[in-house]
Amino acid sequence: MTGDARMQFIDRFWADTDPDPVSPENEAKLEYFTRVTQALNLYGTSRLGEWDMRAQYYVRFGRPKWEELNPIRKPDWLHHGDWLA
């Protein structure tokens, strides 16, 4: 698409996805850009605009129901501190 047709398509897309067309803000657009910002902060890389699959899922579906902060499996004895004794 060329510049003008592309802008018309984008404007029409956001108008069609607005859940409350009477309100001054487009809540769907606001939620989308909020998720993009959060995904870039959580899963972005040092290269501008680049992210991994976790970020794509975050933008599409929102915050996950659960998170594993350290996905590397450790032996159980490391979690209990037995190695300190």
Side-chain angles (χ1 to χ4, degrees):
M1 279 190 238
T2 61
D4 218 22
R6 184 173 188 258
M7 290 307 295
Q8 288 176 356
F9 174 81
I10 291 170
D11 291 341
R12 190 173 54 242
F13 170 81
W14 285 119
D16 290 346
T17 59
D18 191 359
D20 186 9
V22 180
S23 69
E25 285 289 327
N26 183 337
E27 291 81 9
K29 187 175 183 179
L30 184 63
E31 175 67 19
Y32 171 77
F33 284 110
T34 300
R35 288 183 184 185
V36 167
T37 302
Q38 291 170 340
L40 284 173
N41 285 331
L42 292 170
Y43 309 116
T45 65
S46 59
R47 298 173 74 181
L48 183 62
E50 186 176 288
W51 58 26
D52 61 11
M53 286 302 290
R54 295 173 299 171
Q56 287 186 20
Y57 287 130
Y58 194 100
V59 171
R60 288 182 185 184
F61 305 115
R63 185 181 177 108
K65 296 210 185 296
W66 59 272
E67 297 173 359
E68 188 172 331
L69 297 178
N70 186 5
I72 299 171
R73 295 292 292 166
K74 296 180 184 176
D76 286 338
W77 59 271
L78 282 177
H79 293 285
H80 300 296
D82 295 341
W83 59 277
L84 295 173

